[in-house]
Amino acid sequence: MTTQIEFNAVEKYYGRFHALKNISLEIEKGAFVALVGPSGCGKSTLLRSLAGLEKISSGEIKIAGEKMNHMPPRKRDIAMVFQSYALYPHMSVEENLTYSLRTHGVKKKDAQAKAREVADTTGLSNLLTRYPRELSGGQRQRVAMSRAIIRDPKAFLFDEPLSNLDAALRVHMRKEIRTLHDRLGATSVYVTHDQIEAMTMADRVVLMKEGRIEQEGAPLELYDKPVNQFVAGFIGSPAMNFIPATVGEDGQSLKLDIGEGQTLPYPGRLEAGKAVTVGLRPEHLMLVSKEEAQLSLKLRIGEATGATTYLFTDSDPEVAVVVNDRTTVTPGETFHLRIDPERIHLFDRETGVRL
Ligand code: ATP
């Protein structure tokens, strides 16, 4: 595989504010990479730096092996798709598609032929004479995508392109964008604050916090082996439960700080008396009988969605449990849980680093 995009020790300051901290990242040709993280973590800044819309303070950005630091945006040969679509309202779909080709000196006939070819791929063939105001949100999104595709760029950059759409259309467009990416053999970098979007669309997920990359890897790698408590809490929905605990004298048990006598076995060897944080995914906690119980907690509220039921305990900290069916547990009732010890996540209580 060849590297298409490269960040080497990139730093970005806005005045005195340190927005990107030592960012190094390689993106392979053909990859779909999601930049994800809470609001303000720097994902848009990273994307905009790649596009040339922000000037980095130090470090290096390369596209297809060529250094981009001083390259103006229009010469970087990349296409950007924004959430606002940025379509020209006074131009038809076809004119929106051909515009950038025409400004790059392509003959009208050739530009129109190319527009029709792209419209075929994106399912816009019947809408070429319409104006943006005559299109649905999803159709506008497709025009924006088509306009990006038509220039055959080295990479597609997406900045939260689906956040204006309703939930059902978002799920649909997620698949459309991914299918288009595969069909075109494109390299895509996709910014979102939605971890589900990142997990379902991308081959690689880059999770950022406060200007740094916390973890980069395949989606399930982040889910299975989060490097720290922040990653563990961000990836997965509902979020992982965190319970403070102390390692028992035998080094193989975890005394949970959540009411009396709640102890979990641990398959590894740990330092006796160590202060840790135990991470339990709601979907890994199994409802069992009293005899099989490792944990017994009282139900505060249950939410049935049909396929699954969410249970929330009245303990401190609260524990969320996802049950793959319905339950008869009622509020105020004590219920019993087990977890496969292999699925217990452990973090250093001080640093949050995975143990
Ligand atoms: P969101 O999901 O809210 O869009 P983000 O992760 O994309 O967030 P950025 O837009 O990259 O975050 O912003 C990162 C940080 O840099 C934020 O704290 C923001 O306030 C700051 N920032 C962004 N642009 C500027 C600017 N032009 N001047 C000063 N600070 C800025």
Side-chain angles (χ1 to χ4, degrees):
M1 286 298 259
T2 45
T3 303
Q4 183 75 344
I5 295 168
E6 214 179 319
F7 296 92
N8 286 320
V10 168
E11 306 274 346
K12 167 71 184 173
Y13 287 87
Y14 290 112
R16 289 172 64 189
F17 182 75
H18 200 174
L20 295 178
K21 299 167 185 164
N22 192 25
I23 301 285
S24 292
L25 178 68
E26 285 187 15
I27 297 175
E28 309 228 301
K29 196 167 182 185
F32 195 114
V33 173
L35 304 181
V36 68
S39 183
C41 70
K43 46 197 190 299
S44 297
T45 300
L46 190 59
L47 196 77
R48 292 170 57 80
S49 302
L50 178 58
L53 302 172
E54 296 290 351
K55 197 169 169 303
I56 57 175
S57 308
S58 65
E60 185 183 59
I61 296 178
K62 285 184 180 173
I63 299 176
E66 204 182 336
K67 192 166 165 176
M68 289 290 136
N69 291 39
H70 302 291
M71 190 77 84
R74 64 195 159 74
K75 289 209 172 148
R76 294 193 181 198
D77 203 6
I78 50 176
M80 197 130 177
V81 184
F82 296 96
Q83 64 172 248
S84 54
Y85 318 132
L87 302 180
Y88 301 113
H90 59 287
M91 289 186 193
S92 68
V93 169
E94 182 174 284
E95 286 159 349
N96 263 285
L97 296 189
T98 53
Y99 182 78
S100 83
L101 292 179
R102 298 282 290 138
T103 57
H104 280 80
V106 177
K107 288 207 187 75
K108 190 169 182 187
K109 269 221 151 49
D110 295 339
Q112 284 173 333
K114 183 80 187 163
R116 281 185 207 123
E117 186 189 314
V118 170
D120 247 4
T121 321
T122 54
L124 288 174
S125 300
N126 298 325
L127 304 173
L128 284 168
T129 55
R130 297 244 194 122
Y131 286 82
R133 64 174 178 277
E134 300 167 334
L135 300 173
S136 72
Q139 290 166 337
R140 277 181 220 163
Q141 181 65 57
R142 265 187 257 161
V143 179
M145 287 281 299
S146 308
R147 216 171 44 173
I149 292 166
I150 205 161
R151 289 175 27 222
D152 204 11
K154 290 207 179 75
F156 291 95
L157 310 189
F158 298 91
D159 198 353
E160 307 240 6
L162 306 184
S163 50
N164 284 344
L165 308 181
D166 68 47
L169 190 53
R170 225 164 40 219
V171 171
H172 175 72
M173 288 306 296
R174 220 147 79 182
K175 284 187 249 158
E176 277 208 12
I177 291 177
R178 180 65 220 213
T179 307
L180 261 176
H181 164 95
D182 291 342
R183 199 181 306 154
L184 297 167
T187 305
S188 300
V189 186
Y190 190 101
V191 163
T192 177
H193 62 268
D194 179 345
Q195 54 105 8
I196 299 284
E197 213 166 275
M199 297 285 282
T200 52
M201 294 179 81
D203 309 310
R204 311 283 297 173
V205 174
V206 178
L207 177 51
M208 297 179 66
K209 180 191 168 199
E210 292 168 12
R212 273 183 224 287
I213 295 178
E214 291 283 313
Q215 190 168 0
E216 189 258 332
L220 293 180
E221 225 171 284
L222 271 70
Y223 177 89
D224 290 334
K225 290 226 153 47
V227 297
N228 58 37
Q229 209 180 321
F230 171 76
V231 178
F234 194 87
I235 301 290
S237 174
M240 186 185 279
N241 297 296
F242 294 118
I243 306 170
T246 311
V247 177
E249 292 305 318
D250 58 0
Q252 291 191 300
S253 57
L254 301 162
K255 290 190 208 159
L256 304 184
D257 187 5
I258 189 170
E260 285 299 291
Q262 310 271 19
T263 301
L264 288 178
Y266 190 73
R269 269 245 160 242
L270 297 163
E271 183 194 328
K274 187 174 172 60
V276 296
T277 300
V278 170
L280 308 174
R281 290 210 181 273
E283 59 276 29
H284 292 161
L285 287 164
M286 297 173 289
L287 219 49
V288 293
S289 68
K290 192 173 174 183
E291 291 67 38
E292 300 169 295
Q294 290 168 334
L295 267 176
S296 297
L297 297 164
K298 207 182 271 183
L299 184 71
R300 181 173 62 80
I301 192 167
E303 295 173 352
T305 67
T308 51
T309 306
Y310 299 95
L311 305 178
F312 300 95
T313 64
D314 76 350
S315 54
D316 179 24
E318 179 186 78
V319 174
V321 181
V322 178
V323 185
N324 253 338
D325 211 331
R326 301 168 193 209
T327 87
T328 51
V329 186
T330 50
E333 196 180 327
T334 296
F335 63 103
H336 309 285
L337 295 166
R338 252 192 111 72
I339 187 163
D340 175 353
E342 300 290 338
R343 291 185 140 167
I344 297 174
H345 296 262
L346 268 196
F347 305 96
D348 186 295
R349 181 108 60 92
E350 286 277 300
T351 62
V353 172
R354 180 187 191 81
L355 293 173

